[in-house]
Amino acid sequence: MKKFRKVLDGLTTSSPVNPGGSPGCGSAAGTPSAAPTPRELEIQETLMSEHFQICKTVRHGFPYQPTALAFDPVQKILAIGSRSGGIRILGRPGVDCHSQHESGAAVLQMQFLINEGALVTACADDTLHLWSLRQRLPAILHSLKFNRERITFCHLPFQSKWLYVGTERGNTHIVNIESFILSGYVIMWNKAIELSTKTHPGPVVHLSDSPKDEGKLLIGFESGTIVMWDLRAKRADFRIYYDEAIHSVSWHHEGRQFMCSHSDGSLSMWNMRNTAKPFQVTFPHGKTQRDGRKESCKPILKVEYKTSRNSSEAFVIFSGGLSYDKAGRRPTLTIMHGKAITVLEMDYPIVDFMVLCETPYLNEVQEPYAVVVLLEKDFVVVDLTQSNFPIFENPYPMDVHESPVTCTAYFADCPPDIIPVLYSIGAKHKKTGYSHKEWPVSGGTWTVGSQTYPEIIITGHADGSIKFWDATAITLQMLYKLKTSKVFEKPKTGDMGRSADLVEEDPYAVQMISWCPQSRIFCVVGISAHVILYRFSKHDANTIITSLELRLQCEMEDVISPSDTENTPCFSDPSGHSPQPQPPSPRSNTPDSVRDSIPCLKVKDRMIRMPPGYQAELVVQLLWVDGEPPQQITCLDLNSAYGLLALGNCNGLAVVDYLQKTILLCMSTLELYGSADPFQRLTRSPRKNRQSTSDFCMRGLSNFYSDSKKRIRTSYQSLTELSDNQVSLDLERSKSPTSAPYTPSLHNDPRGTGEPVSNLRSCHYSPVFYLLDNESRENSFSRSRSSSVSSIDRETKEAVTTLQFAESYGRKSDSLPTPCLWVGTSLGLVLIIPMSIPTDEQERQEDPVTVAPTGTVLMLKGSVLRFGFLDCGGALINSPYEVWRDQHAPDDPDRPRKRKLVNFSPSSSQEACGDGHLAVVCSERQAKVFYMPSQACLYVHNITESSFVLRADVVSVSNSVCLACFCANGHIMILSLPSLRPLLDVSYLPLTDMRIARTFCFTNGGQALYLCSPTEIQRITYSQEMCVNLQETLGELFTPIETPEAQNRGFLKGFFGGNAQTFDREELFGEASAGKASRSLAQHIPGQGGIEGMKAAAGGVVGDLARARIALDERGQRLGELEERTALMMTSAETFSKHAHELMLKCKDKKWYQF
């Protein structure tokens, strides 16, 4: 019986509703009989389920919590591993790929198979993976899981198929890269050290083969023991026992000496002829004290020893080694070249660094030209070819998190001229002093696809800055940066009272943004309850910023009568609205209790010179009222054609005319209803303890900056770090059931689970307001509809959760559309407010705009999130806008600057379909389609019962329109319009957190984005067409390049250099001679196919042809070289024969004593 009911529910949820409808589904006054039915509309919907598919496209930003670094010197591509198991592969701009280990284990180390299009990763779960990079999306070919030992270090010699693996027990194993099977050849720790040694040498921290002889393997143990192991003889050539622990080892290219870095901040140099003691020990940053001893220094974690042809002095580059007494100094990278020592201070701790050299051969002069430095939160490349060591300008968007991201917006198919304009303005403010050489990581190939359109991503940050990014195709490039803090005076210490205490670190944090690309008008909502309106100009200007102040505070308690909530079928039970009792504030006697009519921030009241770009014109601030701070602004909308700006919060609504700089409307939500209020509300006596409510109101402003900020502001001092440290916005419920304490060890499970949205309050006002004011929400998805719960008197603040200006019908009797403001509230109510706006430009500047709430009310379940408008043909109706004009441009008498408006009136977009239009309203629970002006509910669909919608957008996909929803349980849903048929329902993000809930947004063209970590933006697509064409838009990671030939060693070097060239690893490590390894030691996990099969099928026909052409060219070139050498040898032989014959004739008749 339960299954049958579920089937019936599924059939009825998206079915058309009778135009007469139930009282809850139509308007409050009923539906007229003249309204059309769904059949009469006859809208042909073209979108089907096969048009939609979810997949990730590209990830932008700096890899969060990086752990490892690798570089291919031939392909010139770079890889970064992270603590969460991610791999980021970077090449030339446009070549940017992200892959993920399914286990999520931290990446310990990475090794490229140089010029082979493959990468080996060693993870914290003691598994080796072989990745193929010969296709646009890397794939794992083989995996090898170690069962009894933990991996600590890996080394893969150039042009070798045998990987050396060091373990925590001190053993060294050897893995065949092609088959990914362990060799029977093992170097046991007890064989490597002397039998008389009584202590364990510790884990293997270094492995490298001698540049002079590949048959010799240098093994470094953590305790300070170094062993040169002869692979052929299977014995140690020499052993070094040093007092200090070893962190890294680096060879001189001739193989005669090597350098070690130690835990006491010293560098030791060792000569192969005498290994009894180091021939040089230096403390680069350690000074000699008065008693003759060196001062203690921090460990040198890594050292690189590189030689150069142009200088007899080698480069010694290392990280760390500073003295302990210099507290507070930033992390450093030291470059020693001869007697010159350069210390480069870094902004963040150094994770790893690599020296980039001209040759991949270790036994040649290295010729270093750059240093890649991977920091905890940045990525820097230093130019070694110039004496002042400048850094390269980074072409990747690694500074998304320069200040933590607090909100995002995504605009697809923007006006084509907006990107060049923003870039030209932003280019004037770029930093200088970069290296003039080309970016050294230049591998891979990428071409802009044919089906591209202008896309812009806007990010708001905790310091009040705004960044505009060019997101066309799959790239991301910063266009322009705007600092909103310049509008305000800098607050003085102790001048801001309690509001300053709560937002003192980020008082300008951006909470919301609204942008009209056509008119280039831009609005910013800040955390301090302020709105800034900007206009764009190509010219600088000296202006005074206009400031408007609003008293938007609710003075009466709105209580819903229990009888009405039980008898309202389309209104969900608001049991989650009971606020928690607030304790009396300990600061109730402070001057804050009498603060009144004062804003949180002070706007500059003097003439300000504004550079070209976005220039502030108007600031709207909410004021303190009777000692209570202003509540957070929960929604905002602007319309450039109307010249109006609307904002709302949990107290009410305000409409501002930004052309005349006046406030048109400032009313509480209750006052907007008038006599059409569908709920019976009772007034309560005035509160005795107003300070208690002050604390509650301040929660709206302070939830981003609660008491928990003292714990969570470690490296990221922002709201974006809340979920990553398992600290909720509510301190009382700070831990999720699955959260675990964070451990710095990479071998432990590194995936800290952020607070899942399933633990968030089920009834929220809007995606933003819900995150801000969640004090009165229930910690559960399902709400109890029993009378025992609903019969309790509940205090509620009905918030305005969404706003939109549109050409619509404010009354049922209207025959023509007029400018209207659609208002959605947290109780699921929709109000339509018509406005009268003068049409003449001169009258618009002088005559007032009239706003008259009519009491029109529509109802839905849950908080209203989004509005959308369609004509009777099913096409999307865009909001009217004003064409951009530069107000500060020089006056042209021949072409006076007039306002040019573009209007998309429903009546003008349809003639055959008759008057009227369709209104799409989506709440956190359901979606409805109303016919205007009759306000009849044509379609209704219950989106979710067990969860709630966080984000909803009406978007254009494949030349049609649909409703895209992102739910708190991680589901992405697509509904057709206007019939609201489910087209897609995919569980995309099973465990989402606060950051994703705050930044997720859809856009046209089947794309969406969210902040997947505090430093990374993940773009996804829900369009099947884009998923199919994704391979064409991504860059090629591997390009066929001929491996550079090794330098000619010369006759004497080859003769006296030993038999390094004859070393055969296959004969030594193969199964025939070494036998099989123990099966219990490691488990082989096959991937998608062998490496040879992958090479044949990876690149397709084009790749095969390219490789075949290169192979033919190489063969022809070698044959030509062979022919030339043969001819030279013949000529040399003839010359030698001739000289020998002449010498014989000359000496034939001489006696022995004549010589």
Side-chain angles (χ1 to χ4, degrees):
M1 190 63 184
K2 289 183 179 180
K3 292 184 179 179
F4 184 68
R5 286 180 178 174
K6 289 182 180 179
V7 172
L8 287 179
D9 290 341
L11 291 174
T12 58
T13 49
S14 60
S15 60
V17 179
N18 189 336
S22 61
C25 292
S27 66
T31 306
S33 58
T37 63
R39 291 184 180 180
E40 292 174 354
L41 288 175
E42 293 183 355
I43 297 176
Q44 184 177 359
E45 297 181 357
T46 58
L47 291 179
M48 309 296 286
S49 297
E50 52 266 23
H51 289 133
F52 297 96
Q53 181 183 345
I54 297 286
C55 71
K56 296 180 180 179
T57 54
V58 66
R59 182 172 293 197
H60 303 296
F62 181 76
Y64 184 55
Q65 294 181 330
T67 55
L69 183 67
F71 183 73
D72 188 327
V74 178
Q75 288 288 321
K76 294 191 182 301
I77 58 175
L78 182 136
I80 300 175
S82 68
R83 186 183 293 272
S84 61
I87 300 175
R88 193 76 168 276
I89 302 174
L90 303 169
R92 67 176 67 248
V95 179
D96 188 342
C97 179
H98 174 266
S99 296
Q100 179 72 35
H101 291 92
E102 292 184 1
S103 64
V107 179
L108 295 178
Q109 195 179 355
M110 298 184 295
Q111 291 270 316
F112 275 104
L113 277 66
I114 296 176
N115 205 27
E116 292 292 333
L119 175 71
V120 176
T121 58
C123 296
D125 60 351
D126 307 306
T127 305
L128 296 172
H129 303 275
L130 177 64
W131 291 81
S132 165
L133 309 182
R134 288 179 177 260
Q135 60 266 36
R136 297 179 188 240
L137 292 174
I140 293 179
L141 299 175
H142 298 282
S143 298
L144 188 66
K145 169 71 174 175
F146 280 74
N147 296 324
R148 296 184 298 183
E149 298 197 51
R150 316 214 73 171
I151 300 172
T152 56
F153 196 86
C154 297
H155 170 62
L156 179 65
F158 179 45
Q159 294 181 327
S160 170
K161 65 177 183 179
W162 297 94
L163 174 71
Y164 302 111
V165 181
T167 67
E168 193 176 38
R169 293 186 180 181
N171 302 326
T172 302
H173 300 275
I174 301 170
V175 179
N176 186 302
I177 290 297
E178 293 180 349
S179 62
F180 237 57
I181 297 176
L182 272 178
S183 168
Y185 193 112
V186 183
I187 306 173
M188 305 298 291
W189 68 271
N190 53 357
K191 298 288 184 63
I193 65 175
E194 291 180 343
L195 297 176
S196 59
T197 306
K198 297 181 180 180
T199 57
H200 191 279
V204 175
V205 295
H206 178 80
L207 291 169
S208 63
D209 48 346
S210 169
K212 189 176 180 181
D213 186 357
E214 294 178 349
K216 304 292 180 65
L217 182 67
L218 189 71
I219 307 174
F221 298 93
E222 189 180 55
S223 63
T225 302
I226 301 174
V227 176
M228 176 65 83
W229 184 262
D230 190 331
L231 294 169
R232 302 183 194 86
K234 299 182 180 180
R235 60 178 177 81
D237 273 5
F238 64 81
R239 300 178 178 90
I240 297 173
Y241 298 97
Y242 198 64
D243 296 336
E244 293 296 334
I246 292 176
H247 285 282
S248 68
V249 181
S250 184
W251 281 95
H252 189 277
H253 80 276
E254 294 180 350
R256 298 176 182 175
Q257 58 189 21
F258 59 89
M259 179 180 292
C260 302
S261 67
H262 300 281
S263 58
D264 62 346
S266 65
L267 298 173
S268 61
M269 291 279 291
W270 300 82
N271 197 305
M272 298 293 290
R273 295 181 180 178
N274 181 15
T275 57
K277 62 178 182 178
F279 73 87
Q280 183 181 1
V281 177
T282 58
F283 288 82
H285 296 299
K287 297 180 181 178
T288 304
Q289 298 176 344
R290 294 181 179 179
D291 56 1
R293 295 184 302 174
K294 292 282 186 180
E295 60 181 349
S296 58
C297 297
K298 299 176 183 178
I300 296 179
L301 301 178
K302 186 175 182 179
V303 65
E304 294 261 16
Y305 186 25
K306 303 297 179 183
T307 53
S308 176
R309 287 193 186 92
N310 300 329
S311 175
S312 59
E313 302 290 345
F315 280 92
V316 178
I317 303 171
F318 61 89
S319 60
L322 293 179
S323 59
Y324 278 105
D325 62 347
K326 296 177 181 178
R329 284 195 62 177
R330 296 190 292 180
T332 60
L333 182 79
T334 304
I335 303 175
M336 298 172 60
H337 190 209
K339 295 182 180 180
I341 300 178
T342 304
V343 179
L344 304 178
E345 289 191 343
M346 302 295 169
D347 294 331
Y348 306 103
I350 297 174
V351 176
D352 197 2
F353 74 90
M354 290 190 69
V355 179
L356 308 187
C357 301
E358 296 287 352
T359 176
Y361 296 93
L362 296 179
N363 57 358
E364 296 179 0
V365 179
Q366 297 297 286
E367 290 292 339
Y369 60 89
V371 183
V372 177
V373 188
L374 179 63
L375 308 176
E376 277 191 2
K377 300 168 193 174
D378 203 358
F379 175 69
V380 178
V381 181
V382 182
D383 187 357
L384 290 179
T385 61
Q386 300 183 41
S387 58
N388 58 339
F389 302 124
I391 64 172
F392 289 88
E393 185 176 5
N394 198 328
Y396 315 124
M398 294 291 186
D399 57 345
V400 173
H401 64 289
E402 183 179 16
S403 174
V405 178
T406 55
C407 69
T408 59
Y410 193 3
F411 299 88
D413 205 7
C414 298
D417 59 336
I418 190 68
I419 290 180
V421 168
L422 288 173
Y423 182 79
S424 63
I425 298 296
K428 299 176 183 178
H429 305 285
K430 280 194 171 182
K431 297 179 180 179
T432 58
Y434 293 110
S435 172
H436 299 295
K437 294 198 172 183
E438 293 185 2
W439 179 252
V441 186
S442 57
T445 57
W446 179 74
T447 56
V448 180
S450 58
Q451 299 179 349
T452 58
Y453 44 83
E455 300 175 71
I456 288 181
I457 294 174
I458 304 178
T459 56
H461 300 264
D463 63 350
S465 61
I466 303 286
K467 291 182 180 180
F468 291 76
W469 304 85
D470 178 9
T472 306
I474 61 167
T475 61
L476 192 72
Q477 182 182 10
M478 194 172 79
L479 297 172
Y480 175 72
K481 182 177 180 180
L482 174 67
K483 295 182 178 179
T484 63
S485 59
K486 291 185 176 181
V487 174
F488 303 100
E489 301 282 0
K490 292 183 179 179
K492 298 179 181 179
T493 306
D495 187 40
M496 299 303 294
R498 189 191 316 173
S499 62
D501 293 339
L502 292 167
V503 295
E504 59 185 353
E505 297 179 61
D506 297 315
Y508 313 109
V510 178
Q511 179 185 331
M512 222 180 307
I513 53 182
S514 180
W515 186 45
C516 177
Q518 289 80 13
S519 63
R520 302 182 187 176
I521 294 180
F522 185 64
C523 268
V524 179
V525 176
I527 199 77
S528 299
H530 63 269
V531 179
I532 310 174
L533 185 138
Y534 291 88
R535 284 184 183 268
F536 187 85
S537 175
K538 294 182 180 179
H539 306 84
D540 55 1
N542 295 316
T543 58
I544 296 178
I545 303 173
T546 304
S547 177
L548 296 178
E549 297 176 344
L550 288 171
R551 292 175 63 93
L552 196 58
Q553 204 80 351
C554 188
E555 292 298 332
M556 67 185 302
E557 300 297 333
D558 301 336
V559 179
I560 301 173
S561 172
S563 59
D564 282 300
T565 59
E566 291 177 4
N567 297 328
T568 305
C570 280
F571 178 68
S572 59
D573 179 18
S575 59
H577 282 275
S578 57
Q580 301 296 325
Q582 295 292 323
S585 171
R587 302 184 54 175
S588 57
N589 295 325
T590 62
D592 284 350
S593 60
V594 294
R595 290 173 67 93
D596 186 57
S597 301
I598 299 175
C600 293
L601 299 173
K602 184 178 182 350
V603 181
K604 293 179 178 178
D605 55 0
R606 60 183 182 276
M607 186 74 71
I608 302 174
R609 182 189 175 277
M610 298 185 181
Y614 273 104
Q615 300 168 350
E617 180 178 295
L618 175 68
V619 177
V620 181
Q621 290 182 286
L622 303 188
L623 302 175
W624 285 64
V625 177
D626 296 333
E628 295 184 0
Q631 284 283 11
Q632 287 287 303
I633 296 172
T634 57
C635 56
L636 173 81
D637 192 40
L638 68 91
N639 188 282
S640 57
Y642 303 157
L644 299 179
L645 170 71
L647 58 96
N649 67 359
C650 67
N651 290 326
L653 168 71
V655 179
V656 176
D657 184 344
Y658 66 78
L659 295 179
Q660 299 185 16
K661 310 292 191 302
T662 58
I663 300 171
L664 302 178
L665 179 72
C666 183
M667 300 175 68
S668 68
T669 316
L670 179 61
E671 293 172 328
L672 294 174
Y673 293 113
S675 60
D677 191 354
F679 301 113
Q680 178 184 350
R681 308 188 192 232
L682 305 176
T683 58
R684 229 179 237 179
S685 58
R687 296 182 294 261
K688 295 181 180 180
N689 187 358
R690 296 190 60 88
Q691 190 59 37
S692 172
T693 308
S694 173
D695 287 344
F696 173 73
C697 293
M698 279 303 296
R699 295 293 293 181
L701 186 63
S702 67
N703 259 335
F704 272 65
Y705 306 88
S706 60
D707 296 336
S708 59
K709 71 177 182 180
K710 299 294 190 284
R711 309 180 188 179
I712 64 174
R713 288 181 177 268
T714 53
S715 55
Y716 285 91
Q717 297 183 357
S718 163
L719 39 145
T720 57
E721 192 67 11
L722 294 176
S723 59
D724 293 288
N725 288 309
Q726 290 84 40
V727 180
S728 165
L729 291 178
D730 288 321
L731 192 60
E732 302 90 328
R733 306 176 180 90
S734 61
K735 297 272 184 173
S736 66
T738 57
S739 64
Y742 178 80
T743 172
S745 173
L746 292 179
H747 275 292
N748 293 324
D749 188 3
R751 294 170 296 168
T753 305
E755 182 189 5
V757 171
S758 60
N759 278 352
L760 305 180
R761 308 315 188 256
S762 64
C763 178
H764 70 290
Y765 296 148
S766 74
V768 175
F769 187 81
Y770 153 73
L771 294 169
L772 294 173
D773 190 11
N774 55 8
E775 184 70 24
S776 60
R777 312 223 209 299
E778 201 176 13
N779 193 12
S780 168
F781 273 127
S782 60
R783 300 179 189 165
S784 172
R785 301 180 67 91
S786 64
S787 59
S788 61
V789 176
S790 60
S791 61
I792 303 174
D793 286 348
R794 288 172 299 274
E795 180 188 17
T796 177
K797 284 183 174 292
E798 184 179 6
V800 178
T801 56
T802 185
L803 297 166
Q804 185 161 343
F805 290 101
E807 292 282 321
S808 186
Y809 302 87
R811 304 170 184 84
K812 294 181 183 181
S813 58
D814 289 349
S815 58
L816 292 175
T818 58
C820 292
L821 175 62
W822 284 63
V823 182
T825 73
S826 57
L827 297 184
L829 303 181
V830 178
L831 298 94
I832 307 173
I833 303 177
M835 299 171 292
S836 176
I837 302 177
T839 55
D840 183 74
E841 183 173 358
Q842 186 66 26
E843 293 178 353
R844 178 65 185 87
Q845 298 291 338
E846 298 175 357
D847 295 349
V849 175
T850 58
V851 181
T854 61
T856 302
V857 176
L858 309 175
M859 299 182 66
L860 288 87
K861 291 181 182 178
S863 172
V864 181
L865 300 180
R866 188 67 60 195
F867 298 120
F869 303 97
L870 310 176
D871 61 22
C872 289
L876 182 66
I877 301 176
N878 295 310
S879 297
Y881 62 86
E882 175 190 1
V883 178
W884 173 74
R885 57 195 177 104
D886 196 338
Q887 291 188 326
H888 296 134
D891 293 332
D892 187 356
D894 298 332
R895 298 180 61 185
R897 296 194 303 272
K898 293 184 178 181
R899 295 186 72 207
K900 182 180 178 182
L901 306 182
V902 178
N903 193 1
F904 298 96
S905 173
S907 60
S908 62
S909 63
Q910 57 193 50
E911 294 180 359
C913 297
D915 295 334
H917 70 87
L918 303 179
V920 182
V921 185
C922 183
S923 73
E924 65 177 5
R925 298 282 181 177
Q926 65 177 190
K928 288 185 178 182
V929 176
F930 296 93
Y931 179 77
M932 305 300 291
S934 67
Q935 303 173 14
C937 181
L938 302 182
Y939 300 94
V940 60
H941 176 76
N942 293 322
I943 299 174
T944 177
E945 293 294 339
S946 60
S947 182
F948 55 91
V949 178
L950 283 170
R951 177 79 185 207
D953 288 289
V954 178
V955 292
S956 299
V957 180
S958 302
N959 299 320
S960 190
V961 187
C962 63
L963 177 64
C965 302
F966 174 60
C967 295
N969 58 5
H971 282 244
I972 292 178
M973 300 180 183
I974 307 294
L975 304 176
S976 69
L977 289 177
S979 66
L980 299 177
R981 288 182 298 109
L983 298 176
L984 179 73
D985 187 353
V986 175
S987 179
Y988 175 70
L989 293 170
L991 286 177
T992 55
D993 54 29
M994 290 287 191
R995 186 191 325 104
I996 297 175
R998 187 176 60 251
T999 58
F1000 197 102
C1001 55
F1002 296 96
T1003 189
N1004 297 329
Q1007 298 194 76
L1009 67 79
Y1010 59 94
L1011 209 67
C1012 59
S1013 75
T1015 62
E1016 295 170 287
I1017 294 175
Q1018 178 67 60
R1019 289 164 68 178
I1020 66 173
T1021 180
Y1022 48 93
S1023 167
Q1024 196 270 343
E1025 181 183 3
M1026 185 169 288
C1027 290
V1028 172
N1029 298 328
L1030 180 61
Q1031 292 279 353
E1032 298 179 4
T1033 60
L1034 297 176
E1036 290 273 5
L1037 299 175
F1038 177 78
T1039 54
I1041 302 174
E1042 184 182 357
T1043 302
E1045 293 186 1
Q1047 295 178 359
N1048 189 1
R1049 302 181 67 195
F1051 174 75
L1052 294 176
K1053 287 187 178 181
F1055 185 78
F1056 295 106
N1059 55 353
Q1061 300 298 325
T1062 62
F1063 178 61
D1064 188 358
R1065 293 187 178 91
E1066 180 68 32
E1067 180 181 352
L1068 194 59
F1069 303 145
E1071 186 177 332
S1073 58
K1076 293 183 178 180
S1078 172
R1079 292 185 178 180
S1080 62
L1081 182 60
Q1083 175 187 1
H1084 175 251
I1085 305 172
Q1088 300 174 358
I1091 193 168
E1092 295 301 327
M1094 175 272 300
K1095 288 181 180 179
V1101 177
V1102 177
D1104 290 340
L1105 288 175
R1107 284 189 287 272
R1109 188 180 299 112
I1110 289 178
L1112 287 174
D1113 292 343
E1114 292 177 357
R1115 185 172 181 271
Q1117 184 178 356
R1118 290 174 182 172
L1119 287 174
E1121 292 176 355
L1122 180 61
E1123 186 178 354
E1124 292 177 0
R1125 290 177 183 174
T1126 305
L1128 288 174
M1129 289 177 64
M1130 291 179 62
T1131 304
S1132 177
E1134 290 176 359
T1135 305
F1136 178 76
S1137 175
K1138 180 180 178 181
H1139 286 307
H1141 183 68
E1142 291 175 354
L1143 185 62
M1144 182 195 69
L1145 293 177
K1146 184 177 180 180
C1147 301
K1148 181 174 66 172
D1149 298 330
K1150 289 186 178 182
K1151 302 297 182 182
W1152 63 270
Y1153 52 83
Q1154 292 178 326
F1155 288 96

